[in-house]
Every structure is written in C-alpha cells, then in structure tokens.
Amino acid sequence: MLAGDRTLAALGHQPLLQHTLQVAKTMCSGEAAQQQQLATSSTVPVAIVQPTWDSHRSERVKITNSTASAENLGRAIAIGKSCFGPGGVHQFRIYIQHLPDNNNCRIGVASSAYLTSNEWPGNGPNSWVISSMGQKWHASKGENYGVTWGQSDTITVTVDLDHQTLSFAKNGQDLGVAFTNLPALYDLSPVAFLLDKGDTVVIS
C-alpha cells in the first residue's frame, strides 16, 4: 500500500475509532452511575429514637420528663427505657445541662442484665460507655477515646445492631466507633452516670 493509501485508510478509521471511544465512555459513565445508585440504595437509614428515662431502674436520680439530675451524694445512674428495635441503626442524644468543675460523667448503653447497684456504667460486662474525661469504658477497662466534653455539649450515641458497633459524636463531630462486637440485643437501653449532686443531663 502506498503512503497516500495508508493515510486515507487511517482517516477512514477515525470515525469508527471515535465511535468506539464514545461508546466506552458512555459505558463507564453508566457503570459509575449504577455503582453510585447501588451505594445510595444500600445506605441504611438511621432511626432517631425518642427515649425516656426509666424511673424504676434508675438510682439516686431525680427524673422529670427527659431530664435526669443527680440527688443527695451523687453517683447517680439514669437508665432509659429500651427503645431499639431488632436490627437497624438507632440514634439518641444526651445534652449535658449541668456539669460543673469538669465532673466525671459517663454516657452509653446498658443491657437488661446490667444491675445499677453493683457497678458504675462501664465497670462490668453489661454496659458500654464513654466518659467526659476522654475515655471509653467496658468491663472495667478504660481506654483513650475521642475528646473531653462537658457542660453545654451534646453527645450523640449511634447503636448499629446490624454491625454490632457503638459510636459517638460530640456536638455533631463524629468521634468514630468506640466498641465493636456489641451483643446483637434489642434490649439495650441508654445509660448515664452522674458523679455529683446537681449534675444534670437531658435525653432526646
């Protein structure tokens, strides 16, 4: 083939090449859109629960609607009523209304097997909490976690019963997963520990 013929042949193949590239580009765009759609559809909705404190299980605490305040010598334990369905992702919030002098406060969840009279939340196998001192506690083992928090802060608690994880956020800032291998139980309840008299939290 002469040089001129090769040039014409190359020019003759250009529309086909452009068409092929356009088809490939369209396919890639379609695949990306499909993957995006799958990712969006696979997102598990978060159920915002409306918990209330359980006056029968709570100790040394004054409960008024959604507010819990430590009484007498403090060391109060407020436990919410079980409000999580079987499976799914659930969230509740606790607002720290009164916590002077950087008092120690703990927030998290406890199972129905948790007995308030025997232990602080986080000091046994049936409760999982974080403390205002920047730690997480379970089975009497404390580890550094997140940041410190205190009066006027809001702690968001996310219970993922599908993946058995417990996560927290401070004023909307995600602090990450604190606990894994959480029991796949729907009888978990919100729990708060208030060290001194007058320490007050509001659940929502």
Side-chain angles (χ1 to χ4, degrees):
M1 182 183 293
L2 298 177
D5 294 333
R6 287 196 295 271
T7 301
L8 290 174
L11 290 173
H13 286 300
Q14 279 187 354
L16 178 60
L17 177 61
Q18 292 173 356
H19 176 71
T20 302
L21 291 174
Q22 183 63 36
V23 169
K25 182 178 180 181
T26 302
M27 289 178 64
C28 289
S29 300
E31 290 173 356
Q34 185 178 18
Q35 290 176 356
Q36 179 65 30
Q37 183 177 5
L38 288 173
T40 302
S41 62
S42 64
T43 301
V44 178
V46 176
I48 307 299
V49 299
Q50 298 294 327
T52 56
W53 297 118
D54 188 342
S55 58
H56 298 291
R57 295 186 65 196
S58 301
E59 292 187 355
R60 298 177 296 279
V61 61
K62 179 181 179 181
I63 295 175
T64 306
N65 297 324
S66 59
T67 302
S69 298
E71 294 183 321
N72 302 325
L73 299 178
R75 289 173 173 76
I77 299 173
I79 299 183
K81 296 180 180 179
S82 180
C83 54
F84 310 125
V89 182
H90 309 268
Q91 266 187 2
F92 65 91
R93 297 175 178 84
I94 293 184
Y95 172 68
I96 315 302
Q97 187 177 83
H98 186 70
L99 193 72
D101 303 322
N102 296 319
N103 279 349
N104 188 6
C105 176
R106 294 184 180 185
I107 287 173
V109 296
S111 75
S112 60
Y114 171 67
L115 301 176
T116 56
S117 298
N118 295 340
E119 63 192 29
W120 290 10
N123 284 7
N126 300 307
S127 54
W128 300 259
V129 298
I130 61 170
S131 80
S132 56
M133 314 304 288
Q135 296 176 317
K136 60 180 182 179
W137 285 87
H138 172 63
S140 297
K141 181 180 180 181
E143 298 179 10
N144 290 333
Y145 170 80
V147 294
T148 59
W149 42 271
Q151 186 166 302
S152 300
D153 287 329
T154 297
I155 302 300
T156 301
V157 185
T158 302
V159 183
D160 187 338
L161 294 177
D162 292 335
H163 297 91
Q164 297 175 254
T165 61
L166 183 63
S167 306
F168 297 85
K170 171 188 174 181
N171 300 329
Q173 177 186 359
D174 184 20
L175 302 179
V177 173
F179 301 101
T180 58
N181 299 319
L182 204 68
L185 303 172
Y186 58 86
D187 71 341
L188 294 173
S189 302
V191 65
F193 171 76
L194 305 170
L195 181 63
D196 287 341
K197 180 179 179 180
D199 291 353
T200 304
V201 294
V202 180
I203 194 167
S204 64

